[in-house]
Amino acid sequence: MKAVLSRRALLAVALAATAMANANAQSYPNRPIRLLVGYNAGGGVDALARLLSARLPAVLGQPVVVENKAGATGVIAADYVSKQPADGYTLLMGETGLLIAPFLQARSTFDPLKALVPVAGAYVAPLMIVASNSFPAKNPKELIALLKSSPGRYSYATSGVGTVHHLGFEMMKAKTNTFVTHIPYRGASQIIPDVISGQVPIGVVSAAAGLAQAKGGKLKALALMNTGKLAGAENVPAMADALPGFNVAPRLMVLAPAGTPAPIVEKLNEAVKTVLASPEMVQAAAQQGAFPAYLPPAQLGPEMQRESAEWAKVIRDQKISAE
């Protein structure tokens, strides 16, 4: 009898918790929402987060305030968000680097796939392979052929070890069996000037930055690393032209603490979907070198798992270390 009562009591507690969660979801949101960004204010991730946060209040009926908590490739902000109440009032604008960091930070115990739940895919920020005007290749096929014929002769610059820029090029190297020396910079600001001057022959930069200089004739836009086209870059070939299926680009996504009630996640997801669908957002994102790339939680979750495994393989196979 005690066991029966215990089961009944547990069922009653579960039903009460479900009813409370549903009630909270129905009244959600009734106060401002925080959207954490794991990078400094003024950067690309921050700018795209603010595009979204400025438009969400019209749908949700409450302010959405961006807060910057930079460090450790976004992990500091992500860890902070994961430890907040799972009530939908503290969210994260996550970026692909978050899926890479655990494999490069030896002492890291943070697992974004367990600590956070997907709310919505938001943007893709394409990357571009650029080269000096004196560089012999002018498209992806010629680039691969040149690198194969001259192993170790050329080098490429990125904004740092473990970035999507770095690992994306390493993935290309692995798929083409080529050898190119990586030159990690501390940030991206000096890469384009050094490519233009010939200090380094190849660079991996944001598509927006590369396109601006290519249109001015100061360097070559060799390839976009993703398969989707960016407004204004329709004439730039994709790396997939030479490597079918190759698709690398930072993805920005809205995430919430694990345990956030499904009705709240769904309400947030619908709000993000509505905002991203506006023509105004397409134009605004393009100015930041990105395009809206909405994904619902059911698709974003598996995509995060796939990307995580893919980056782990690149790091392992290419013997990449953060040191």
Side-chain angles (χ1 to χ4, degrees), residues 145-313:
L146 180 65
L147 298 182
K148 281 187 173 182
S149 67
S150 308
R153 178 179 177 182
Y154 296 103
S155 59
Y156 75 99
T158 75
S159 53
V161 173
T163 59
V164 182
H165 311 58
H166 173 211
L167 297 188
F169 202 94
E170 289 296 315
M171 183 186 294
M172 186 273 287
K173 285 168 54 178
K175 290 180 180 294
T176 57
N177 194 30
T178 53
F179 175 67
V180 191
T181 302
H182 178 224
I183 301 178
Y185 279 52
R186 291 190 175 184
S189 61
Q190 191 58 36
I191 293 176
I192 284 181
D194 283 359
V195 170
I196 291 173
S197 68
Q199 182 83 14
V200 61
I202 306 168
V204 183
V205 298
S206 72
L211 188 62
Q213 299 302 322
K215 285 184 173 180
K218 295 184 178 180
L219 48 67
K220 294 180 182 179
L222 293 182
L224 286 171
M225 299 186 78
N226 66 299
T227 53
K229 289 295 185 181
L230 177 68
E234 290 83 2
N235 295 326
V236 180
M239 183 54 67
D241 292 351
L243 288 175
F246 188 89
N247 186 24
V248 169
R251 181 188 302 278
L252 279 70
M253 50 219 162
V254 180
L255 307 171
T260 301
I264 289 178
V265 170
E266 182 58 29
K267 185 171 286 190
L268 286 167
N269 169 67
E270 287 297 324
V272 173
K273 179 181 180 181
T274 299
V275 169
L276 292 176
S278 71
E280 177 198 7
M281 177 58 81
V282 174
Q283 295 177 355
Q287 291 176 357
Q288 300 297 330
F291 56 85
Y294 167 76
L295 282 180
Q299 292 181 32
L300 178 58
E303 183 65 14
M304 290 172 63
Q305 293 176 352
R306 182 196 66 76
E307 284 195 36
S308 178
E310 190 171 56
W311 294 127
K313 184 177 188 303

Side-chain angles (χ1 to χ4, degrees), residues 77-160:
D79 184 51
Y80 172 82
V81 170
S82 73
K83 294 173 180 175
Q84 302 309 300
D87 55 11
Y89 288 100
T90 306
L91 308 174
L92 175 74
M93 177 60 83
E95 187 260 347
T96 299
L98 187 64
L99 304 176
I100 296 170
F103 303 108
L104 289 174
Q105 298 176 5
R107 298 179 181 178
S108 175
T109 59
F110 180 76
D111 185 347
L113 299 179
K114 293 180 179 178
L116 301 163
V117 294
V119 172
Y123 307 97
V124 164
L127 301 177
M128 182 180 287
I129 300 175
V130 297
S132 62
N133 284 328
S134 61
F135 190 70
K138 60 180 181 294
N139 58 51
K141 291 182 180 180
E142 291 183 5
L143 172 64
I144 292 171
L146 180 65
L147 298 182
K148 281 187 173 182
S149 67
S150 308
R153 178 179 177 182
Y154 296 103
S155 59
Y156 75 99
T158 75
S159 53

Side-chain angles (χ1 to χ4, degrees), residues 35 37 43-55 66 93 122-125 250 252 276 281 284-292:
L35 179 61
V37 173
V45 177
D46 176 73
L48 290 166
R50 290 177 190 277
L51 286 181
L52 190 64
S53 69
R55 292 159 175 80
V66 171
M93 177 60 83
Y123 307 97
V124 164
L252 279 70
L276 292 176
M281 177 58 81
Q287 291 176 357
Q288 300 297 330
F291 56 85

